[in-house]
Amino acid sequence: GAVLDAQDRGVPLYLFDQPLEIVCPPLLAATRAPRYFADDILQSLGPAGFVRRARGHPCESPHAGVGPSRHPSLFVGRAGSKTSLHADSWGTAFWMAVLSGRKRFRLFNASAGDACLRPLRKPIDTYAQRFARDVFDDAALGSVAGCVAWDGVVGPGDVIFIPAEWPHAVENLDDTLAISYNYVDAHSLPSFARFAAALVDAKRWEAAQAALNEVAPA
């Protein structure tokens, strides 16, 4: 399939953001959130909560009738694999703990998204989530006035925190293993609420358009 074709072409493989509940239950049982990030408003919704319904996984879950939790999630990357510049969806913040190998993070304040990173916005976006700029191209990035990059290497035993709406790109310097958790606390709740409201409005608009098309097809 596509994975084997990519491997044949020499593309570094990357297991990206896969639910621990599915891919490695023993690691999930041993995982505890760092005390700095103990609050997650979404957890109050329980096993059938918003994140399960909105971002669930199709595989079976020990929780009857609902998909497994999306987070915490597992990242396993070969050296040289990377993720392009993006900001996580739903207005969530996240932390990542690196268990082995080194990851290079390059991140930007949320205000830089529209200012200098060439955002690729969707109509419902309340903030930019995808970008056209290659931020690991230092020459190209250096030519953009006012675009300040925060750059650092996160290694075994390190934890990094990315605030809500902050664009970031990641390069695996070694073969790496890491776990990550997206969450909503008092600081990221306004961003989450804006995104959720925009999505609900968009779904209502789609439903209204569908109803109108049934009555009077175009």
Side-chain angles (χ1 to χ4, degrees), residues 34-175:
R35 60 188 178 91
Y36 310 104
F37 317 118
D39 295 332
D40 182 8
I41 293 171
L42 298 183
Q43 287 295 322
S44 64
L45 299 177
F50 181 84
V51 173
R52 283 186 184 277
R53 294 198 303 273
R55 302 189 61 191
H57 191 283
C59 296
E60 293 182 358
S61 167
H63 304 289
V66 297
S69 176
R70 179 76 178 190
H71 295 103
S73 59
L74 183 67
F75 290 73
V76 182
R78 297 298 303 269
S81 59
K82 61 179 67 174
T83 57
S84 58
L85 186 67
H86 67 284
D88 282 28
S89 61
W90 291 99
T92 57
F94 78 92
W95 56 264
M96 174 173 280
V98 177
L99 305 181
S100 65
R102 298 171 302 143
K103 289 176 170 283
R104 179 190 180 192
F105 277 78
R106 179 159 279 189
L107 54 149
F108 303 82
N109 190 285
S111 61
D114 287 322
C116 59
L117 295 176
R118 295 169 58 193
L120 304 172
R121 280 185 176 273
K122 296 179 180 178
I124 66 166
D125 284 350
T126 54
Y127 62 95
Q129 297 181 55
R130 293 290 183 270
F131 305 86
R133 192 172 296 282
D134 179 3
V135 296
F136 286 124
D137 183 344
D138 292 325
L141 188 63
S143 65
V144 181
C147 200
V148 178
W150 302 87
D151 196 287
V153 175
V154 184
D158 293 338
V159 175
I160 187 170
F161 165 70
I162 308 293
E165 301 187 17
W166 275 48
H168 55 282
V170 185
E171 179 183 14
N172 291 308
L173 303 178
D174 311 308
D175 292 348

